[in-house]
Amino acid sequence: MKYVLVSGGVISGVGKGIIASSCGLLLKTAGLAVSSIKIDPYLNLDAGLMNPLEHGECFVLDDGGEADLDLGNYERYLGVTLGRDNNITTGKIYQHVIDKERRGDYLGKTVQIVPHLTNEIQNWVERVAKVPVDESGREPDVCIIELGGTVGDIESAPFVEAMSQLQRRAGKNNFLQIQVSYVPLIGSEQKTKPTQRAISDVRSAGLRPDLIACRCETPLEESTIQKLASACQVERDQVVGVHNVASTYQVPLLLERQGFLHGIKDILHIDSMKKEQKLLDYGQIIWQEWQGLAMSQDHVFEVVSIALVGKYTTLHDSYMSVSKALEHAAMHCKKKLDLIWVESSHLEDQHEQTNPAEYYKAWHAVSTASGIIVPGGFGERGTEGMIKSAHWCRKNNVPFLGVCLGMQLAVVEFARNVCGMTKAGSAEFDEQCEQPAIIYMPEIDKTKLGGTMRLGKRATIFQPGTEWSRLRKLYGDKQEVWERHRHRYEVNPDMVEQLEKGGLSFVGKDESGKRMEIIELKDHKWFVGVQFHPEYLSRVLAPSKTFLGFFAASAGCLDSITELFKDTHDLSHREVRLSVSSLQTGNSLV
Ligand code: GLN
């Protein structure tokens, strides 16, 4: 096993995750099977209970793991399927060590951060790195380890120590460290001092950076590179610049142009590793497709405006996977995405009185957008605004996509305004609701909040007589699709008949037939609500069918896109195979 540790210095939030995923992608194009582990030095067990406005979205995995959003980057860039153990937190590691201590596994020893905790971190990394993450079922050759935060933080110290021990455990040519740094631009001068300090901190912590990736606004000047190389005592080609580019999909190209992959191959002795021809060919296809897609956006001019009506819009990372899924769809439709963020509470009646400027601005965005998406969320705030936007779409034949909470609210809107249930609502906001269209799922634990929702990948069965469904057609008229879930509430099965009479179709249900998974309106351009979260399975080279359909309908090209994509693989079916035939045709495989 080879390890690539990606750590950060100076400040966090400069794109360490994108650099780490890009590095993984480049290794994949070299014919290697790549996995990844994200280390988050916070005490929470997982990201499930963290406020999206503070920490960005919670990314949901196949196995129901509620993970840091960086795992989404890896899945999207590498086309892999990760599990909950691929996200290590301080909370998880402590819990593991304390459980062992209680079992008596330490045989009377004093249990300490070093060596017990640091050993457990290394054991965890070694165990998880070996787990196959793609359909080839192959043990990965390389594992990218991203260490959250910055080196020098108190809370990341045990992980830094563990990594410096792992460096020795892994042995020569099996461990490489990339230190991501930040080079601020003051006036027109690129300042190197913060990076110099960060590198010296990393070294005193026992790590030896092999590559220094410098984030900066403008391309790194030759003089800056030379200065960094001499001040940090590294070779010139160990310094790589990552300046701002038009899209993050271009970062792998930017790294490749600077010989990044070559440098990694050299240090890790990649060329001497045995590789299957099939994977080498596959790597080449991925790279060609990636380059094509990443650059195509520079030559696309037709703009499609999508309004995202949500309650966490002040931090765009809260909807990371949703916005990525929309980007993937736009790239494959060869259009430019203009994503307009609308705070749902601004659409509500009372807001017209309190802040008319915001109210009219929000309504202008909704009423002029080509399509409207209401994504997932929790709690009552802003939900009446979301209901109003679903109403707008239904009445005006504007493409609509409701995801999870968005789907539930579209059902409430329909119940109220079409079925005459004027008191319809969701039990999530009013437990005493007279006409609960959305109810608490019976099997969900009401006492514990962490990890107790209906989580992870589950089946949705298309119902008989729904062959007309636009979404079903795009899925290739499959009987069954598998998508990831995260919810506590669901459509009230007792109201389904009445809603159906009103004209709402429940085109997809779970295996029991009692849980509603997909709603759709027949006489509409595209009015779809899904209880699952299709955004979690959208990939750069294999866009989510649900998002693709929604975007194509908004762009006015649904028929041609359906024709083009109905037979392509979709990750949600776990059908991605490294088959010879798909290699030959070069279809989207990842
Ligand atoms: N709050 C809703 C529920 O728990 C929707 C959840 C979501 O959108 N992820 O069912």
Side-chain angles (χ1 to χ4, degrees):
M1 178 61 61
K2 311 236 178 219
Y3 298 99
V4 175
L5 170 67
V6 183
S7 51
V10 184
I11 49 170
S12 60
V14 290
K16 187 159 26 98
I18 295 294
I19 293 174
S21 327
S22 302
C23 169
L25 175 70
L26 289 173
L27 285 163
K28 195 163 171 156
T29 65
L32 301 174
V34 185
S35 181
S36 82
I37 293 174
K38 169 80 198 288
I39 298 176
D40 283 303
Y42 47 69
L43 276 164
N44 307 58
L45 277 186
D46 59 35
L49 296 180
M50 296 174 90
N51 183 351
L53 280 176
E54 208 173 290
H55 202 75
E57 84 172 2
C58 164
F59 190 79
V60 180
L61 301 161
D62 268 14
D63 65 6
E66 296 175 284
D68 184 84
L69 54 77
D70 275 315
L71 271 81
N73 284 329
Y74 293 109
E75 287 206 343
R76 286 186 285 269
Y77 275 59
L78 304 178
V80 292
T81 302
L82 302 173
R84 63 177 81 236
D85 286 353
N86 292 76
N87 195 183
I88 305 179
T89 65
T90 298
K92 274 189 198 172
I93 285 285
Y94 270 81
Q95 191 176 55
H96 183 66
V97 171
I98 291 168
D99 285 348
K100 275 181 83 168
E101 191 274 336
R102 290 290 81 188
R103 277 203 308 266
D105 289 1
Y106 293 107
L107 302 171
K109 289 258 181 264
T110 306
V111 183
Q112 294 179 296
I113 305 276
V114 184
H116 301 100
L117 197 84
T118 49
N119 280 347
E120 285 307 335
I121 295 169
Q122 292 174 77
N123 296 345
W124 189 304
V125 167
E126 285 182 328
R127 174 176 60 83
V128 174
K130 289 201 192 99
V131 177
V133 287
D134 63 31
E135 296 297 305
S136 72
R138 223 177 96 130
E139 186 178 307
D141 304 296
V142 185
C143 179
I144 311 276
I145 308 167
E146 181 190 343
L147 179 57
T150 51
V151 176
D153 299 345
I154 293 177
E155 46 188 18
S156 64
F159 293 105
V160 173
E161 174 60 23
M163 290 302 109
S164 89
Q165 290 176 18
L166 184 67
Q167 178 173 280
R168 255 170 289 133
R169 247 202 223 187
K172 209 166 179 289
N173 305 120
N174 289 330
F175 191 97
L176 174 143
Q177 193 205 341
I178 302 171
Q179 179 69 15
V180 178
S181 189
Y182 180 60
V183 175
L185 191 67
I186 307 290
S188 59
E189 199 186 340
Q190 294 178 333
K191 293 289 197 186
T192 63
K193 189 70 90 201
T195 301
Q196 295 180 38
R197 297 254 16 110
I199 296 297
S200 99
D201 285 352
V202 171
R203 287 201 175 118
S204 57
L207 291 166
R208 279 180 272 114
D210 299 284
L211 295 170
I212 305 171
C214 300
R215 282 286 291 119
C216 44
E217 274 171 54
T218 51
L220 211 57
E221 281 159 26
E222 184 55 31
S223 55
T224 314
I225 297 177
Q226 296 289 356
K227 192 165 169 189
L228 277 169
S230 80
C232 301
Q233 291 132 44
V234 293
E235 300 297 327
R236 189 233 169 270
D237 56 11
Q238 287 176 274
V239 182
V240 187
V242 188
H243 61 265
N244 292 356
V245 278
S247 106
T248 52
Y249 304 111
Q250 293 177 4
V251 174
L253 279 58
L254 179 66
L255 293 174
E256 166 62 4
R257 277 202 298 274
Q258 296 175 77
F260 189 76
L261 180 59
H262 189 74
I264 295 179
K265 277 177 157 180
D266 230 26
I267 299 166
L268 293 180
H269 285 197
I270 301 267
D271 285 338
S272 61
M273 287 168 74
K274 269 221 327 258
K275 287 179 225 79
E276 285 176 42
Q277 190 56 42
K278 202 165 75 171
L279 284 182
L280 284 167
D281 294 346
Y282 181 52
Q284 285 313 303
I285 293 172
I286 295 174
W287 189 229
Q288 276 161 20
E289 280 203 28
W290 190 284
Q291 290 184 87
L293 274 175
M295 298 316 292
S296 66
Q297 284 288 293
D298 287 351
H299 312 289
V300 164
F301 302 105
E302 199 183 322
V303 176
V304 179
S305 59
I306 301 293
L308 184 153
V309 179
K311 61 183 291 191
Y312 316 117
T313 56
T314 45
L315 182 70
H316 295 179
D317 276 3
S318 307
Y319 298 109
M320 174 75 104
S321 295
V322 168
S323 61
K324 293 295 159 197
L326 287 168
E327 281 176 16
H328 302 161
M331 287 198 283
H332 286 272
C333 290
K334 301 193 167 44
K335 305 274 192 269
K336 233 187 184 74
L337 166 70
D338 179 19
L339 186 54
I340 303 158
W341 303 86
V342 179
E343 186 63 31
S344 51
S345 57
H346 293 182
L347 297 166
E348 294 172 353
D349 292 347
Q350 67 274 24
H351 210 72
E352 188 179 8
Q353 311 302 322
T354 48
N355 194 330
E358 276 179 354
Y359 174 83
Y360 288 109
K361 188 169 173 232
W363 271 108
H364 179 263
V366 164
S367 57
T368 53
S370 302
I372 287 165
I373 177 164
V374 178
F378 295 82
E380 188 173 14
R381 180 175 63 81
T383 50
E384 286 304 320
M386 297 176 195
I387 291 173
K388 280 183 180 295
S389 50
H391 180 78
W392 168 269
C393 292
R394 189 175 57 74
K395 294 295 272 184
N396 295 293
N397 201 16
V398 174
F400 172 82
L401 177 60
V403 173
C404 204
L405 178 69
M407 176 259 210
Q408 296 173 356
L409 295 176
V411 171
V412 171
E413 190 281 321
F414 199 86
R416 282 185 193 168
N417 301 320
V418 179
C419 303
M421 297 185 239
T422 48
K423 302 248 164 54
S426 166
E428 182 175 359
F429 324 128
D430 176 11
E431 279 189 50
Q432 313 307 327
C433 179
E434 270 177 53
Q435 293 174 311
I438 307 299
I439 56 164
Y440 203 83
M441 279 188 282
E443 70 267 38
I444 304 288
D445 185 336
K446 281 200 169 173
T447 53
K448 274 202 212 109
L449 282 185
T452 56
M453 279 187 258
R454 181 172 178 250
L455 287 162
K457 191 143 142 169
R458 287 150 194 275
T460 293
I461 320 289
F462 281 113
Q463 300 300 296
T466 59
E467 289 73 16
W468 57 267
S469 155
R470 290 166 184 80
L471 179 58
R472 180 173 177 164
K473 281 192 192 135
L474 199 45
Y475 270 117
D477 206 13
K478 296 271 177 331
Q479 282 293 307
E480 157 181 320
V481 290
W482 288 75
E483 296 275 6
R484 294 179 181 172
H485 292 71
R486 186 175 188 241
H487 64 125
R488 282 193 185 89
Y489 294 84
E490 63 172 331
V491 175
N492 184 352
D494 296 340
M495 278 196 188
V496 166
E497 209 184 304
Q498 226 178 322
L499 290 160
E500 270 174 341
K501 274 199 196 120
L504 186 63
S505 299
F506 292 91
V507 302
K509 302 183 184 174
D510 78 341
E511 296 101 331
S512 74
K514 298 216 170 65
R515 183 153 286 151
M516 304 304 122
E517 290 280 2
I518 306 174
I519 58 162
E520 194 168 335
L521 287 179
K522 198 169 183 179
D523 299 319
H524 197 283
K525 265 193 208 158
W526 179 278
F527 193 99
V528 171
V530 287
Q531 184 59 75
F532 48 80
H533 289 264
E535 65 272 22
Y536 294 134
L537 282 177
S538 192
R539 303 287 182 261
V540 182
L541 302 182
S544 149
K545 296 282 172 83
T546 315
F547 276 84
L548 188 63
F550 162 66
F551 186 87
S554 309
C557 57
L558 180 59
D559 289 344
S560 59
I561 285 291
T562 305
E563 207 38 52
L564 207 63
F565 278 82
K566 66 181 193 301
D567 297 326
T568 58
H569 296 315
D570 187 295
L571 262 194
S572 64
H573 306 299
R574 303 208 59 142
E575 285 176 343
V576 188
R577 296 266 183 272
L578 303 181
S579 67
V580 176
S581 62
S582 49
L583 278 175
Q584 281 163 352
T585 54
N587 276 338
S588 292
L589 314 160
V590 188

